[in-house]
Amino acid sequence: SKLFKYVECFEPIPTLFDMLEKNTWQIDNIKRHNVAISNLNSNVMIYENPIRTESNVVVSKETKELLDSRWTGKNSKWKDQEPISVPCKKVDSYNFDKVDFIKIDTEGYEFETLLGLQEKLKNVKLILFEHHYDNMILKNYKFRDINKILIDNNFYQILKIKMPLRKSFEYIYENKSI
């Protein structure tokens, strides 16, 4: 990771966190955190998909039904699993000054993640995030809510890419004042 002077990684799923540590243990400038990022300091329940590296935060019965319909066939083993409780923290509770790049891949939890970043956004140059439209509908927010947070913090959209075979997009926003 010579591209960046310092890297902070946040991964809530214990098995994926173990993989992150295994794959990055030799890189000195990476700090790893086994937590979810949100707008609250609490715990959150997450269903982990045992086949793929996609997981989802449990927020309602409707979310579980959506997951049941998405993770079928070879991925149906997940249905027998109980959600796991993982610690959740606001990014604002971490001490950092200037950030060149943030990647948010929170499987439908983008809005809450950005809410937890609000006090630090003025220090961030670029943000890349996935946005999952199906999860957004179940969580009662719209893309314009995410866009408003970023625009209000002096960001503008520089890229939008549709992800193949999914109702998801990747966006890059840049902070005009940095």
Side-chain angles (χ1 to χ4, degrees):
S1 182
K2 301 292 183 197
L3 180 61
F4 298 105
K5 184 177 177 182
Y6 187 72
V7 177
E8 298 255 356
C9 299
F10 300 88
E11 174 55 59
I13 306 293
T15 53
L16 296 179
F17 183 78
D18 290 345
M19 288 172 48
L20 173 66
E21 284 192 314
K22 181 181 175 185
N23 291 329
T24 62
W25 70 271
Q26 292 180 313
I27 304 172
D28 293 333
N29 64 338
I30 293 181
K31 187 166 184 179
R32 300 153 205 85
H33 306 277
N34 192 192
V35 300
I37 296 300
S38 180
N39 57 328
L40 301 172
N41 291 318
S42 64
N43 279 12
V44 67
M45 301 302 287
I46 296 181
Y47 275 104
E48 180 181 6
N49 185 328
I51 307 299
R52 301 182 302 183
T53 58
E54 177 183 320
S55 299
N56 208 304
V57 175
V58 178
V59 292
S60 67
K61 179 183 174 198
E62 290 79 14
T63 303
K64 186 176 183 319
E65 289 170 359
L66 173 68
L67 296 175
D68 285 342
S69 70
R70 282 168 73 192
W71 294 342
T72 57
K74 69 178 183 176
N75 295 330
S76 63
K77 291 179 187 176
W78 95 273
K79 292 180 188 180
D80 298 327
Q81 292 187 350
E82 292 296 318
I84 59 173
S85 177
V86 298
C88 199
K89 290 192 172 189
K90 290 177 67 170
V91 175
D92 287 347
S93 63
Y94 290 90
N95 185 21
F96 60 83
D97 293 324
K98 183 175 182 273
V99 177
D100 292 322
F101 177 75
I102 290 180
K103 178 182 186 263
I104 300 171
D105 183 359
T106 54
E107 303 300 327
Y109 214 61
E110 302 85 15
F111 183 64
E112 291 84 356
T113 302
L114 285 169
L115 285 174
L117 263 170
Q118 277 193 299
E119 292 176 31
K120 300 283 187 179
L121 281 175
K122 67 180 181 287
N123 301 325
V124 177
K125 175 70 175 161
L126 293 168
I127 295 178
L128 163 68
F129 64 94
E130 287 183 12
H131 181 63
H132 298 258
Y133 281 88
D134 47 2
N135 292 340
M136 169 193 74
I137 293 165
L138 294 174
K139 293 184 177 155
N140 297 317
Y141 67 86
K142 301 201 178 329
F143 179 78
R144 71 174 172 246
D145 300 322
I146 290 174
N147 190 61
K148 181 174 179 359
I149 290 172
L150 293 169
I151 297 298
D152 288 351
N153 283 280
N154 214 24
F155 281 82
Y156 65 99
Q157 181 182 314
I158 61 174
L159 184 66
K160 175 183 177 181
I161 300 171
K162 181 169 184 329
M163 298 175 73
L165 308 174
R166 298 174 75 182
K167 292 181 182 177
S168 301
F169 290 84
E170 286 189 325
Y171 294 89
I172 298 178
Y173 277 72
E174 185 174 7
N175 189 332
K176 294 184 229 179
S177 58
I178 295 181

